[in-house]
Amino acid sequence: MIWVTWRHHRTSLIFSLGIIAVLALTGLVGGAIIKSDGSGRPFGSFFGCFGNTTAICAAETALTATTLIATMLPVFLGALVGVTAFSRDIEQGTHVLGLTQSVSRARWFWTRVLVVFVPLTVAAALLGFVLEWTRRLPANSNFAFVAGRATFVDPPNLSYPFFQSSGLALGAYTFMALILGAALALLVRSSIGAMALTMAGVVAVLAMFQFVARPHYAELSVEASPLDGSSRYSSYLGGYDQFGGDWEIEQGYVDIQGNFVDVDYDECTWNGSGDENPYDQRPEETGAEYTIRIDVLMAQQDRDMEVCLREHGADHREIRYHSSDQFRRFQVTEAALTLVLSGLFLIPALWGLRRLKP
């Protein structure tokens, strides 16, 4: 049965493993080039190499592309391999030959899981560990993947796309996607329909982990700072990583009980009066006089801002985040939850298998 399954699915399996191997090789070569370069520089933008054909720039862009492709790998493997591992037999009627022989339904199902799904899961996990290796850079480096969005140095990062493309998580996602594809193939019995549902389902699961589950894997760390009018723009920021790899969840002004308060920044912002811009240097002012006046003006604005914040009920400002040193704990937690979810997807898969008529 193993030999028959291999002969039947070897093309899609070899092709898929080949793609993963190319991605891993790209990561190894790109990582080696980056690590051999002693200088630290931002990189990652797909448009950053215009006019720059050096190997380091090509490696930087290749690592960004590999990272993004790896995050979508479970989606495509689930649809193109997980579904077709069963739907092709069902649509062509070749499953009848297997199910009418001495082979049981369970063996027919699990042989495909063993021969097709397990190698792809292991390969995806290895790709994830290769990508983790590329991101462990010297302490004086300052590299930024994915269009310069986030500075990423050792220790690892907990947010998209780095977490999703790392070892344990990427392997678990791939297995979950393959099982989901198999379940939908056995239930829907239409390749196109099952593929569409699989892609939508995998994306939904990945989004659920990112936005719903992962923020709750551990208690949030809190960095609190006193109420200060000079930090009035800080609450506009958010959604990106701070603290050199830590994952910021939320930030803003809070009351004395620690509850976030809504601040009307238009009400608390003072822009002067009249048509004159208070920040423009006046004709009669010297440079020193202008500097002194602006310092006084900014100090007054800070005091006014602090008074306004307190009137809104703010007591201090907090940044709540997950520390990057919890990366491995989060990887193990999410991989375990993903495998549990894969087990749940096996229930409709086995039910569809039982209903399958030879």
Side-chain angles (χ1 to χ4, degrees), residues 221-227 243 252 254 316-321:
S221 300
V222 178
E223 180 176 287
S225 57
L227 203 60
F243 318 117
V254 299
H316 61 280
R317 179 172 164 267
E318 288 185 354
I319 299 177
R320 300 174 183 178
Y321 65 97

Side-chain angles (χ1 to χ4, degrees), residues 13-31 62-63 65-67 69-70 73 123-124 126-127 130-131 134:
L13 182 58
I14 292 174
F15 181 75
S16 300
L17 290 175
I19 292 177
I20 296 174
V22 169
L23 293 174
L25 181 61
T26 302
L28 288 171
V29 174
L63 286 177
T66 303
T67 297
I69 293 172
L73 195 62
L126 292 176
L127 171 61
V130 167
L131 292 177
T134 67

Side-chain angles (χ1 to χ4, degrees), residues 208-218 220 247 249 322 330:
M208 178 197 68
F209 278 126
Q210 171 73 30
F211 298 108
V212 179
R214 195 178 311 143
H216 303 286
Y217 291 167
L220 289 171
W247 182 27
I249 302 300
H322 286 299
F330 275 44

Side-chain angles (χ1 to χ4, degrees), residues 129-151:
F129 285 118
V130 167
L131 292 177
E132 282 187 41
W133 171 79
T134 67
R135 299 162 190 164
R136 296 186 179 277
L137 303 170
N140 61 346
S141 298
N142 182 29
F143 296 95
F145 287 85
V146 191
R149 177 181 178 272
T151 299

Side-chain angles (χ1 to χ4, degrees), residues 150-297:
T151 299
F152 190 74
V153 297
D154 191 29
N157 198 292
L158 294 171
S159 61
Y160 179 87
F162 309 109
F163 189 89
Q164 284 84 346
S165 58
S166 297
L168 292 177
L170 184 57
Y173 294 153
T174 300
F175 185 73
M176 177 273 298
L178 292 168
I179 294 297
L180 177 59
L184 290 172
L186 291 168
L187 293 173
V188 178
R189 302 185 187 181
S190 166
S191 294
I192 300 300
M195 286 179 182
L197 290 173
T198 299
M199 295 180 71
V202 175
V203 170
V205 169
L206 296 182
M208 178 197 68
F209 278 126
Q210 171 73 30
F211 298 108
V212 179
R214 195 178 311 143
H216 303 286
Y217 291 167
E219 185 177 353
L220 289 171
S221 300
V222 178
E223 180 176 287
S225 57
L227 203 60
D228 184 357
S230 63
S231 63
R232 57 189 172 276
Y233 298 114
S234 60
S235 290
Y236 287 118
L237 304 177
Y240 67 96
D241 298 302
Q242 297 182 350
F243 318 117
D246 294 341
W247 182 27
E248 179 190 315
I249 302 300
E250 54 187 350
Q251 66 162 290
Y253 294 107
V254 299
D255 59 23
I256 196 170
Q257 286 83 26
N259 301 312
F260 284 102
V261 298
D262 293 328
V263 176
D264 186 349
Y265 290 96
D266 292 333
E267 181 180 333
C268 291
T269 301
W270 178 75
N271 295 316
S273 58
D275 297 330
E276 179 184 2
N277 187 336
Y279 297 99
D280 290 342
Q281 185 172 357
R282 296 167 182 170
E284 70 277 7
E285 282 183 323
T286 64
E289 291 172 339
Y290 172 73
T291 300
I292 293 173
R293 183 174 64 84
I294 290 300
D295 289 344
V296 172
L297 177 63

Side-chain angles (χ1 to χ4, degrees), residues 27-59:
L28 288 171
V29 174
I33 294 173
I34 295 299
K35 289 173 181 289
S36 67
D37 185 74
S39 61
R41 62 171 66 85
F43 74 90
S45 172
F46 292 110
F47 308 103
C49 287
F50 288 160
N52 184 355
T53 57
T54 60
I56 188 71
C57 194

